[in-house]
Amino acid sequence: MIVRLAFRLATSRSPEHRWRQLAVPLASSISVILVLFGSGLLAANRRQEERLLERTPILAEVPSDADVLLQPRADVVNGDQYLTIWLAAPLEGNPPVPPGLPRLPTPGEAFVSPRLAQVLAEDVDFARRYPLWTQIGSDGLVASDELIAYVGLPRDRVNERTHHIVAFGRPSGSQRGLVLGLSDLPRSSQMVTGVVIFAFLPGLILLYLGASANSVLRDHRFQILTWLGAPRGTLVKVAVAEVLSLAAPGVALGLVTWLALAPKVGPMPFVWMDPLKGDLVLPWWVALLDSVAILAITSTLAAAGPLAIGRRPDLRPRPSLGRARLQDYRLYPLGIAALILLARPWVSEARADGLLVAAMVLMLVGVPLVAPLVVRQVGVHLAHIHTVPTLLAGSRLGWDPIRNARPHIAAATLVALTLTVLGYQKLTNAEIRSGHAPPVALVTVNINVATADEIGQLASELRPAVVAVFREDANRWIVGANCQEISRHIAGMGCDQNSPADFDSTGELRMSQALGLPSQLDLVLAPDLRLGTEWHEHTGSESATHEHAPSDLSQTSHFHDGLLVIDSTTSPADLEQSVGTLTTTALPGSSVLGVSRFRRYYPPSWSWTVAGLAMAAAVLTLGTILPIMDRLTSTRAQRRHLLKIGVTERRLRFLEALLFGIPFAAVIGVGVTAGITSCWLLVSQAHPPGPMPWASIVAVLMAATIPGTAASLAVALGIVGSSTSGQAE
């Protein structure tokens, strides 16, 4: 009988029940897709970590001729840095091969990732770097958009800092691995936090709002059952069966949709290091468990209403005046978050970050729980203002704060999330580089081995650019050129009048800024500096000697020795590209860094955060629309009753504006408080701590409050609102 009663209620054709028949399946379908998507991201991140470990170079304990020689370098294409792994074949034995490669590349040959292959196919100038290239297999890639190249290195082009590799794979026992590319991969802890905050939490809020959709028919049926003396257990069973009848088809549709789409999902917009196709596929039992969890949560939400009947005087067999009591558990998340923050200074640094994340998640969860408490208190104070609209509005807010707060919970959560992301931006120091344009086209070239003839040939091909050797010591940056040569390419460069080969005070500062050197590093000009040779700095009667044995360049090229190229006749980006192309072929094992050092840099996790916020905003926007539509469909009868007892149309509009605007302000205030607290917590963890982003916070507040204020005014002016038709009934 219970199942039949619930099924008849769920499938009723009454117009008063149609909105619930749409809202519950829609919310459950989207929620299960979000949960499956979040679980898929966690699975994909795990698969990426596995592939990264499987290609880890294992360092040799004792170097030998059977080792593969490896030199990692950073290069740039179109402003993006990419990893170049130079490999030299061993002199004897069967060489180990990285995953995704059929063999080691020969000198002049390259194995490149698909994204880099696309650039090679589209950019003729860049294609000159790797005239002979082949794509890496998918088992050798961490992500679909990864930029990586394995390039063959002649054995006579290695130096003392080249790594000796005995295998590629997961290190075991006492083996030491050389981890490459890990900085571009979001950590598991970051991914779990992001999935919980940007997928699971919005999905559950949407599920709560959908499962709570009003239905006059449903409320009337439950009220009749209560007056007839039906026990609460029976009411709970009817409520659960009714909501499952509506939610199960939505969950099944979401599950089938995800199972069909997951194998095809690959590159995703707006994120870096995104998964390969098939990475998001879940084991069948995980997908089924997620779906069952959504149904269980939906059932719990549906059962909460009948369980409260014993505390609702208006639903007792003999209705009496009174109001619902809000349970104390609503304060638990914020209370636990406060305890965590108080205890955080006394825990180890390793656990402090985890506690910080837990506190932020609890504060975000606390927004929808605490909002009704705040709405009730606002309603109590509003009822003390002795006018008809404020008295009615205050009484209603105090009587049913949950239903009045519900339309604004999603918006408040979105505000809290946005402010939390602002704090995360400050914590991660997302703007690592200032983003200002360099004053001149200038690049540095890190090289393994080079002869004087090769440097001379490079200089002739780059003419009229200045090509000079540089050397970086512990506290100095030494350039093998004089001031007059450099001043021809850098405007405003000042040279010493008594010694034109040297800088004056302004010239040294100008050159340091062009190179992006830290202030504590001295810049020294040494026109006689040559690659791999000793250099004597004469200071009066004393001379300081910098030892670099000059006998054999292949053995003595210092790791910090390189080339500096300055050219005012071209753009910084073009110089970086052309020098990179020339040195890749002429000086194997080299890397070029130029204008990219001045570019604005964002960590990969920041792109995932922005994408997650965009997804959460879309879901929570829908979560705002659902209860507003719910409110419009459920207040028509109340509006007619008020008109019948003599409330004027003008006062009724004012009352409706209060019932929308006051809860909106109260609930948004809860979200703002939680968001600013999270933002402050994150900003305070930065090293060094920075100022709060008040300009961005004000912008978020304006974006959040303007729509609510405009909606309240529109209701008050009669532009929008429930139809007054039927008021004469």
Side-chain angles (χ1 to χ4, degrees):
M1 182 186 72
I2 292 176
V3 174
R4 184 170 66 253
L5 179 63
F7 183 75
R8 289 180 61 185
L9 176 60
T11 58
S12 172
R13 295 184 179 181
S14 171
E16 298 173 331
H17 198 61
R18 288 174 185 172
W19 172 247
R20 181 171 175 82
Q21 290 172 330
L22 172 65
V24 175
L26 178 64
S28 59
S29 179
I30 295 176
S31 298
V32 76
I33 290 176
L34 279 174
V35 171
L36 290 170
F37 178 63
S39 300
L41 286 178
L42 297 179
N45 183 254
R46 181 61 181 168
R47 291 183 174 115
Q48 288 179 320
E49 291 179 342
E50 291 290 335
R51 290 195 295 268
L52 182 65
L53 288 173
E54 290 299 329
R55 78 180 190 194
T56 301
I58 306 300
L59 298 172
E61 296 182 3
V62 179
S64 70
D65 291 340
D67 300 337
V68 173
L69 302 183
L70 182 147
Q71 180 71 65
R73 291 293 195 185
D75 283 305
V76 178
V77 56
N78 297 332
D80 294 327
Q81 287 194 18
Y82 70 95
L83 179 64
T84 302
I85 301 176
W86 294 86
L87 298 172
L91 297 177
E92 59 184 40
N94 190 20
V97 179
L101 276 63
R103 52 179 172 77
L104 290 181
T106 58
E109 183 184 20
F111 290 94
V112 300
S113 62
R115 183 182 170 193
L116 198 59
Q118 183 180 359
V119 178
L120 288 169
E122 297 173 353
D123 192 330
V124 177
D125 291 334
F126 182 72
R128 293 167 52 199
R129 296 192 188 189
Y130 310 117
L132 182 62
W133 58 268
T134 306
Q135 279 197 35
I136 299 171
S138 59
D139 55 335
L141 298 174
V142 174
S144 60
D145 61 345
E146 185 178 18
L147 289 171
I148 187 172
Y150 293 92
V151 187
L153 179 67
R155 193 128 182 138
D156 60 355
R157 289 286 184 171
V158 302
N159 60 19
E160 72 280 1
R161 290 185 175 268
T162 304
H163 301 283
H164 287 251
I165 305 301
V166 295
F168 292 90
R170 186 189 301 269
S172 60
S174 61
Q175 291 180 330
R176 293 185 300 121
L178 183 66
V179 179
L180 303 174
L182 183 61
S183 60
D184 285 340
L185 187 64
R187 297 192 302 270
S188 297
S189 59
Q190 293 176 326
M191 189 63 72
V192 170
T193 303
V195 165
V196 170
I197 292 178
F198 297 118
F200 291 173
L201 182 60
L204 293 178
I205 290 177
L206 181 64
L207 183 64
Y208 160 69
L209 296 173
S212 303
N214 288 318
S215 168
V216 176
L217 176 65
R218 180 177 179 272
D219 293 345
H220 183 64
R221 295 278 178 89
F222 277 101
Q223 194 171 48
I224 291 176
L225 289 173
T226 304
W227 290 346
L228 292 175
R232 281 193 296 172
T234 300
L235 297 178
V236 168
K237 293 177 183 178
V238 173
V240 170
E242 183 265 344
V243 79
L244 288 180
S245 300
L246 296 173
V251 170
L253 177 62
L255 176 60
V256 171
T257 302
W258 176 252
L259 293 177
L261 293 179
K264 302 177 182 179
V265 175
M268 292 179 289
F270 311 119
V271 299
W272 302 341
M273 301 304 289
D274 49 9
L276 300 174
K277 283 187 177 181
D279 276 356
L280 272 68
V281 174
L282 294 168
W284 67 267
W285 60 270
V286 174
L288 183 60
L289 186 63
D290 286 345
S291 302
V292 172
I294 291 295
L295 290 176
I297 295 172
T298 307
S299 302
T300 303
L301 293 172
L307 286 174
I309 286 177
R311 299 184 297 268
R312 293 285 301 273
D314 57 316
L315 292 181
R316 292 172 183 167
R318 287 175 176 261
S320 60
L321 296 177
R323 60 177 185 172
R325 182 171 63 89
L326 297 177
Q327 295 83 359
D328 294 336
Y329 73 83
R330 293 178 174 273
L331 294 173
Y332 290 171
L334 292 184
I336 296 174
L339 292 177
I340 289 175
L341 296 177
L342 291 174
R344 192 171 176 274
W346 288 275
V347 301
S348 63
E349 186 174 353
R351 297 182 178 179
D353 292 340
L355 291 178
L356 178 63
V357 170
M360 288 190 303
V361 171
L362 287 171
M363 279 190 289
L364 292 174
V365 171
V367 170
L369 294 177
V370 174
L373 297 173
V374 178
V375 170
R376 165 162 286 175
Q377 292 302 315
V378 172
V380 169
H381 289 83
L382 185 65
H384 291 158
I385 302 175
H386 297 295
T387 64
V388 173
T390 55
L391 181 62
L392 290 174
S395 299
R396 182 169 174 180
L397 295 181
W399 182 273
D400 197 357
I402 297 177
R403 185 167 293 186
N404 284 280
R406 192 178 295 151
H408 316 295
I409 284 175
T413 305
L414 180 58
V415 170
L417 274 177
T418 305
L419 295 177
T420 301
V421 168
L422 291 177
Y424 177 74
Q425 178 190 14
K426 291 293 182 179
L427 175 65
T428 56
N429 194 18
E431 297 182 355
I432 292 178
R433 301 196 180 100
S434 61
H436 65 273
V440 70
L442 177 152
V443 299
T444 57
V445 184
N446 289 318
I447 57 179
N448 276 1
V449 177
T451 64
D453 291 340
E454 290 171 335
I455 294 177
Q457 178 65 28
L458 183 66
S460 65
E461 294 188 28
L462 292 172
R463 193 169 296 162
V466 172
V467 179
V469 175
F470 77 83
R471 176 170 300 154
E472 185 177 354
D473 284 345
N475 56 357
R476 290 185 300 184
W477 222 78
I478 308 166
V479 179
N482 62 54
C483 181
Q484 291 179 331
E485 293 176 310
I486 297 174
S487 64
R488 290 197 294 266
H489 294 276
I490 300 181
M493 177 67 67
C495 298
D496 193 329
Q497 295 182 353
N498 298 324
S499 178
D502 295 330
F503 294 128
D504 61 12
S505 58
T506 59
E508 181 176 355
L509 177 62
R510 179 73 169 160
M511 184 66 180
S512 296
Q513 290 175 342
L515 290 168
L517 299 179
S519 58
Q520 66 270 21
L521 204 62
D522 293 333
L523 182 64
V524 179
L525 293 181
D528 57 339
L529 177 66
R530 297 294 180 268
L531 186 70
T533 60
E534 64 179 10
W535 171 67
H536 301 271
E537 180 184 12
H538 297 282
T539 55
S541 59
E542 300 179 357
S543 77
T545 303
H546 304 269
E547 299 292 343
H548 293 277
S551 57
D552 184 2
L553 284 175
S554 65
Q555 299 296 325
T556 63
S557 290
H558 195 273
F559 180 72
H560 291 295
D561 282 10
L563 299 179
L564 174 65
V565 182
I566 311 174
D567 189 358
S568 60
T569 63
T570 186
S571 68
D574 289 343
L575 180 65
E576 187 174 45
Q577 187 89 340
S578 61
V579 173
T581 300
L582 286 173
T583 55
T584 299
T585 55
L587 303 175
S590 62
S591 64
V592 175
L593 185 62
V595 66
S596 58
R597 79 175 72 197
F598 295 95
R599 291 184 184 274
R600 194 179 300 273
Y601 172 75
Y602 296 96
S605 58
W606 176 242
S607 70
W608 282 92
T609 302
V610 174
L613 181 62
M615 181 182 69
V619 175
L620 293 174
T621 299
L622 178 61
T624 301
I625 295 173
L626 285 180
I628 289 179
M629 293 295 297
D630 188 23
R631 178 189 179 93
L632 291 176
T633 59
S634 63
T635 57
R636 291 173 181 171
Q638 298 174 7
R639 181 181 177 87
R640 289 196 296 266
H641 293 325
L642 291 174
L643 288 171
K644 286 180 179 180
I645 65 175
V647 178
T648 63
E649 181 70 27
R650 183 175 62 84
R651 285 189 173 182
L652 186 56
R653 287 201 302 266
F654 183 55
L655 172 62
E656 290 176 339
L658 289 177
L659 289 174
F660 182 88
I662 298 298
F664 173 83
V667 177
I668 290 295
V670 175
V672 169
T673 302
I676 290 180
T677 304
S678 295
C679 182
W680 173 76
L681 289 172
L682 289 166
V683 170
S684 65
Q685 301 305 310
H687 299 289
M692 286 282 287
W694 289 114
S696 300
I697 291 174
V698 171
V700 172
L701 296 183
M702 292 180 63
T705 55
I706 288 176
T709 304
S712 300
L713 291 174
V715 172
L717 296 174
I719 300 174
V720 297
S722 301
S723 173
T724 59
S725 61
Q727 64 186 31
E729 295 178 11

